[in-house]
Amino acid sequence: MKNDPKAKLVDGTKAAKPLNQVLKENEHVKDMLEESADELASVNRVLNEEFANQDQLPEMGNALEKSEAVEIKVQEASDKLSVVNQALEDEVRERHLLEHQLATIREQQEETLHIALHDSLTGLPNRALFNDRLEHGLVQATRHGWTLAVMFMDLDNFKTINDSHGHDVGDAVLRIVAERLKENTRGDDTVSRHGGDEFLYLLTDMTNEQDATIIAEKIIKAIQVPCQVSIGELIIKPSIGISIFPRDGTTAEALTKSADTAMYQAKRSKSGYAFAGGTPASSR
C-alpha cells in the first residue's frame, strides 16, 4: 500500500511534541552514562595503580578486567545513545518543517476557497456560496417544518451613478452598501452579492412574515444613510423583493425568481419592498 503524504504530515504534527520529550529524556540518560563512564575510568585508574604496587592477586585482576569491560560497555552505550539522539534531533527538525509546510498549505487552501466563494469587490459571499447555503436551509426547513425567506435587493438608479461619476465611485458605493448589509445581518442569515448592484439575503430563522418585514425595513433605513464618497454625499435607495418558503416556492431557483419579480414590483411602486404574490408595502 502506498504511503499517504498527507497522513505523514498529520502524524508529524501530532508526534513532534512526544519526540521532543523523548529527546530530552535521552539526553538526560546520555549525561548519566557519561558520568558513569568517567567515574568507572577514575576508579579503574586507582585500581590499576593499587594493583601495580601490590602482589598480583588473581581475584583482583579479574575484578579489574570486569570493571574495565563495564567501562567500555558504558562508553559504547553512551556513544550509541549520542547517535540515536542525533537521529531524533533530525526527526524533530523534519517534523517541525512538515508542520510548517502543512500550516502553509492549509492557509493557501483556505485563501483559495475564500476567493472561490466570495465576491472580490465587497468580500460578501458570492452567488455560489449563497445557493449552497440556501439549498442547505431548504433541506433543514423541509425536515423540521420551518419557514425561511429570500430577499432580492437592487439599488435604485445605480446605473446613473456609474454613468455620471464613474465606476470607481460606483464600486465605493457597492462596498459601503455591502458593509451596511453585513452590519445588519443576523448570525445565522446570509447576505451575498448576486452581481452588479444586486444583493441576496437569506433569512433562515423566522416565525412569520413580520420577521421579514422588520429585516427589510432595517436594511432600507441603513442603506439610505448618505454615503460619503470622493464626490461628496450620495443617497442610495434600495428596492427589495421578498419570497417565503414554502408559499412562494420550494426550490432555490423558484424562491430567487419570486423574490426578483417582487423586487421589480417594489421598484415600480417605489414602495421600498414587496412580497411575492402580494401587494407592495406602503411607501417609506
Side-chain angles (χ1 to χ4, degrees):
M1 188 173 68
K2 293 182 179 180
N3 292 328
D4 185 352
K6 291 184 178 179
K8 183 178 179 182
L9 286 175
V10 173
D11 289 344
T13 57
K14 289 183 177 178
K17 240 182 182 178
L19 277 178
N20 277 328
Q21 186 62 34
V22 170
L23 182 59
K24 192 178 295 184
E25 292 172 357
N26 279 6
E27 290 289 354
H28 179 63
V29 173
K30 177 178 174 294
D31 291 341
M32 292 175 62
L33 283 173
E34 288 180 348
E35 288 178 7
S36 298
D38 290 342
E39 289 174 0
L40 276 171
S42 178
V43 169
N44 289 340
R45 281 195 298 272
V46 173
L47 286 175
N48 273 312
E49 290 174 1
E50 291 293 326
F51 189 63
N53 295 329
Q54 296 182 13
D55 294 334
Q56 296 185 359
L57 300 175
E59 295 82 0
M60 191 172 181
N62 290 336
L64 183 57
E65 286 178 6
K66 289 180 180 179
S67 181
E68 288 175 341
V70 170
E71 177 189 345
I72 292 171
K73 287 181 178 180
V74 170
Q75 188 59 54
E76 288 177 349
S78 177
D79 293 341
K80 288 180 180 179
L81 194 55
S82 293
V83 174
V84 171
N85 287 350
Q86 183 60 53
L88 280 173
E89 287 179 3
D90 294 341
E91 181 71 11
V92 168
R93 278 195 296 271
E94 181 182 353
R95 288 176 186 264
H96 280 314
L97 177 61
L98 289 172
E99 184 178 9
H100 176 72
Q101 291 173 341
L102 178 59
T104 301
I105 290 170
R106 283 175 175 165
E107 286 179 7
Q108 291 172 344
Q109 287 176 335
E110 289 174 2
E111 183 178 353
T112 301
L113 184 61
H114 181 86
I115 291 172
L117 296 177
H118 290 79
D119 175 56
S120 59
L121 177 65
T122 64
L124 291 176
N126 61 16
R127 189 182 304 188
L129 181 54
F130 180 86
N131 286 338
D132 180 72
R133 291 183 180 175
L134 177 53
E135 293 285 0
H136 177 73
L138 288 173
V139 171
Q140 296 297 314
T142 302
R143 179 179 301 165
H144 300 289
W146 296 341
T147 301
L148 60 77
V150 173
M151 298 184 184
F152 199 114
M153 189 186 85
D154 176 271
L155 305 181
D156 296 346
N157 302 316
F158 182 75
K159 185 177 183 301
T160 302
I161 294 174
N162 269 339
D163 293 343
S164 302
H165 307 295
H167 288 283
D168 287 345
V169 172
D171 287 349
V173 168
L174 290 174
R175 283 192 290 265
I176 292 171
V177 169
E179 192 61 35
R180 292 176 181 178
L181 285 171
K182 282 191 285 187
E183 291 171 354
N184 289 277
T185 302
R186 304 179 315 169
D188 293 331
D189 296 342
T190 299
V191 62
S192 78
R193 186 184 179 202
H194 189 65
D197 62 320
E198 297 174 339
F199 298 84
L200 284 170
Y201 190 113
L202 173 61
L203 178 61
T204 55
D205 183 15
M206 57 180 291
T207 55
N208 52 52
E209 193 173 285
Q210 183 63 25
D211 291 341
T213 298
I214 293 171
I215 295 294
E217 291 176 350
K218 185 178 180 182
I219 287 173
I220 291 170
K221 183 179 179 181
I223 291 176
Q224 287 185 157
V225 174
C227 297
Q228 297 292 336
V229 292
S230 59
I231 61 167
E233 282 190 353
L234 288 176
I235 296 177
I236 309 300
K237 293 185 178 181
S239 293
I240 300 175
I242 307 168
S243 61
I244 306 293
F245 169 84
R247 185 189 71 194
D248 303 315
T250 57
T251 66
E253 183 180 2
L255 287 168
T256 302
K257 186 176 180 180
S258 295
D260 186 16
T261 301
M263 183 271 293
Y264 280 105
Q265 185 181 6
K267 189 180 288 287
R268 285 192 299 268
S269 63
K270 302 185 184 301
S271 58
Y273 65 92
F275 284 89
T279 56
S282 58
S283 180
R284 297 176 189 280

